[in-house]
């Protein structure tokens, strides 16, 4: 771990404002943000990456509400402005400036091969824009702008992290040591599968997710639709709906509980109706206080504005220094 004398280890991460956060965002992303904000000597900046959000179809009329929603849910989950800085990405325009500089050193062919780009092209064939193609370069700029060393993210972001690491290496080789190679920081819950039993939990897949603001009734209905099997067998399924349920049981009810169900599966059989009811209650128990805190922050907009302003001022200062250094090294000033 590289740590300069008297300097803190920088952490950066971000979430797109696609609407309400879901359990994948919470378990794969936010849990890591929370863990790192509590570490001494870590300096965390967490962002709502609104500039990334506009590379997919969105409604400009409700976009500001969506951005605010992520901030509210960040705070509700426990991100603490005394321990970390919260930022709306577009408020520090240096993200875009650095992305442009970095784009001039990175080959187009590498971006074309990225699985995330290929998936998005399939998902939104009417919306394959230049920004979407450029997405990983802007993400690299987000991270490198603050010289972040660790990036708490879910496993789905691993290919993007590789791009950021590669860009850092290319830049350092060409213009002299400037950026640390950022490393992904994965939580044990870094991959949350879809409730449909296929692929990952995602906002763009209807029926695949549970939102943090969901009521018990909604959680029960969503879990009721998770596909299951006969409830017994010789091997514990490692894919499909049963695997999703076991993963969620482990995360919300503990390893012991999962083991109990596994033993039942291998023995006299699991009653999924009961299992799902218990799981829904356990999930809601964790979400209920988050929902109450979200409502508190929603009712205190000035408090939230103040937190974002502080984050902007803090981040801008670092961003300006990096941009100056990059411009000098690239021979632009
Ligand atoms: P986004 O907005 O899709 O998701 C935000 C965070 O949630 C995690 N996540 C998941 N983790 C586990 N299982 C899932 N099913 C799941 N779904 C989402 C994501 O891994 C992420 O940590 N490209 C990023 C945003 C970004 C960014 C950055 C992240 C832009 N610049 C710089 C880190 C650093 C994204 O689209 O995340």
């Amino acid at each position: 771990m590289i740590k300069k004398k008297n300097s803190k280890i920088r952490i950066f991460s971000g979430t797109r404002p696609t609407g309400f956060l879901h359990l994948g965002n919470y378990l794969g992303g936010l849990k890591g943000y929370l863990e790192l904000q509590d570490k001494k000597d870590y300096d965390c900046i967490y962002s709502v990456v609104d500039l990334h959000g506009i590379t997919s179809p969105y409604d400009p009329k409700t976009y500001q509400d969506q951005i605010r929603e992520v901030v509210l849910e960040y705070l509700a989950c426990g991100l603490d402005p005394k321990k970390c800085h919260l930022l709306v990405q577009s408020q520090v325009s240096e993200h875009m400036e650095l992305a442009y500089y970095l784009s001039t050193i990175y080959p187009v062919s590498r971006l074309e091969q990225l699985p995330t780009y290929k998936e998005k092209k399939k998902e939104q064939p009417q919306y394959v824009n230049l920004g979407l193609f450029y997405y990983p370069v802007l993400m690299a700029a987000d991270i490198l702008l603050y010289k972040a060393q660790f990036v708490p993210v879910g496993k789905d972001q691993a290919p993007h992290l590789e791009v950021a690491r590669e860009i850092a290496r290319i830049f350092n080789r060409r213009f002299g040591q400037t950026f640390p190679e950022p490393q992904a920081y994965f939580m044990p819950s870094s991959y949350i599968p879809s409730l449909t039993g296929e692929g990952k939990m995602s906002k763009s897949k209807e029926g695949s997710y549970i939102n943090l603001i969901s009521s018990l009734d909604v959680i029960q209905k969503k879990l009721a639709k998770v596909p299951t099997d006969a409830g017994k067998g010789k091997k514990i399924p490692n894919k499909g709906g049963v695997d999703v349920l076991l993963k969620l049981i482990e995360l919300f009810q503990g390893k012991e509980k999962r083991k109990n169900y596994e033993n039942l599966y291998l023995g006299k059989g699991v009653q999924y109706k009961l299992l799902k009811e218990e799981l829904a209650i356990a999930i809601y128990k964790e979400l209920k206080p988050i929902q109450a805190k979200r409502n508190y922050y929603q009712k205190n907009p000035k408090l939230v504005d103040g937190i974002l302003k502080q984050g902007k001022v803090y981040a801008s200062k670092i961003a300006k220094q990096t941009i100056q250094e990059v411009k000098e090294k690239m021979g632009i000033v």
Side-chain angles (χ1 to χ4, degrees):
M1 193 179 294
I2 320 153
K3 184 168 167 279
K4 278 188 231 137
K5 231 180 170 186
N6 298 330
S7 72
K8 291 190 169 191
I9 293 168
R10 180 75 39 70
I11 309 296
F12 183 90
S13 199
T15 304
R16 285 171 302 142
T18 46
F20 300 107
L21 298 185
H22 56 69
L23 289 185
N25 300 132
Y26 175 59
L27 299 164
L30 263 154
K31 285 265 186 182
Y33 304 4
L34 290 165
E35 186 168 291
L36 294 180
Q37 77 166 356
D38 282 333
K39 286 195 196 277
K40 207 172 133 267
D41 292 340
Y42 279 46
D43 180 24
C44 304
I45 303 174
Y46 298 130
S47 171
V48 182
V49 287
D50 52 343
L51 298 171
H52 280 100
I54 60 174
T55 62
S56 292
Y58 74 104
D59 181 356
K61 291 195 186 76
T62 55
Y63 203 50
Q64 282 307 312
D65 296 336
Q66 287 181 209
I67 295 168
R68 179 53 77 121
E69 185 58 40
V70 178
V71 179
L72 295 178
E73 294 189 29
Y74 268 2
L75 290 164
C77 287
L79 289 187
D80 180 348
K82 291 195 197 82
K83 298 179 183 170
C84 68
H85 304 279
L86 297 187
L87 172 73
V88 176
Q89 179 195 33
S90 63
Q91 292 192 357
V92 176
S93 58
E94 283 82 1
H95 285 251
M96 289 178 277
E97 189 174 351
L98 182 60
Y100 176 74
Y101 298 142
L102 299 179
S103 75
T104 66
I105 64 167
Y106 200 65
V108 165
S109 54
R110 283 280 294 118
L111 290 176
E112 279 167 341
Q113 286 159 14
L114 273 182
T116 42
Y117 176 61
K118 288 182 186 163
E119 275 162 31
K120 277 280 172 197
K121 261 171 55 172
K122 270 195 209 141
E123 211 176 88
Q124 50 186 67
Q126 310 298 335
Y127 217 79
V128 185
N129 55 74
L130 208 47
L132 189 67
F133 185 63
Y134 188 72
Y135 185 112
V137 181
L138 179 60
M139 179 161 159
D142 294 339
I143 299 165
L144 300 182
L145 189 60
Y146 304 104
K147 302 195 177 181
Q149 292 183 43
F150 293 101
V151 183
V153 278
K155 279 264 159 68
D156 61 321
Q157 295 301 311
H160 290 155
L161 248 293
E162 273 317 306
V163 171
R165 289 164 63 79
E166 212 180 338
I167 290 181
R169 283 197 295 274
I170 297 172
F171 191 97
N172 291 343
R173 244 195 337 260
R174 231 168 119 184
F175 302 110
Q177 182 60 38
T178 308
F179 299 116
E181 260 183 56
Q183 285 178 42
Y185 184 88
F186 295 128
M187 296 299 282
S189 52
S190 61
Y191 181 80
I192 305 300
S194 158
L195 297 182
T196 61
E198 275 169 37
K200 66 168 182 174
M201 185 175 283
S202 159
K203 218 26 205 271
S204 47
K205 229 182 292 156
E206 204 33 64
S208 84
Y209 58 86
I210 290 173
N211 285 333
L212 298 190
I213 57 125
S214 298
S215 63
L216 178 60
D217 182 50
V218 168
I219 299 171
Q220 281 166 336
K221 284 189 179 131
K222 294 246 177 172
L223 288 184
K225 286 193 185 141
V226 176
T228 51
D229 57 15
K232 62 197 294 184
K234 288 201 170 69
K235 227 176 121 227
I236 308 293
N238 60 3
K239 56 179 199 264
V242 177
D243 177 55
V244 181
L245 291 171
L246 290 174
K247 281 212 167 82
L248 293 177
I249 286 164
E250 182 173 337
L251 292 165
F252 288 96
Q253 297 177 274
K255 281 198 169 106
E256 265 307 289
K257 194 76 188 173
R258 179 185 176 136
K259 197 85 215 134
N260 290 349
Y261 278 122
E262 284 183 353
N263 288 338
L264 279 176
Y265 193 90
L266 300 171
K268 67 177 186 187
V270 173
Q271 271 187 287
Y272 287 116
K273 194 165 179 293
L274 216 64
L275 173 152
K276 288 178 175 182
E277 268 167 25
E278 274 188 27
L279 177 59
I281 290 168
I283 294 176
Y284 185 62
K285 197 170 157 217
E286 185 156 337
L287 299 189
K288 202 175 162 200
I290 294 177
Q291 295 172 6
K293 248 176 120 181
R294 176 211 169 271
N295 295 344
Y296 165 78
Y297 283 109
Q298 191 185 31
K299 285 186 193 125
N300 287 281
K302 285 209 174 108
L303 177 64
V304 179
D305 289 344
I307 292 167
L308 290 177
K309 199 168 161 204
Q310 260 180 18
K312 177 189 167 167
V313 170
Y314 184 79
S316 289
K317 208 170 142 210
I318 305 165
K320 283 193 174 29
Q321 283 166 3
T322 306
I323 288 292
Q324 183 61 24
E325 183 184 353
V326 165
K327 285 172 80 175
E328 281 169 15
K329 287 191 169 156
M330 291 185 81
I332 309 174
V333 279

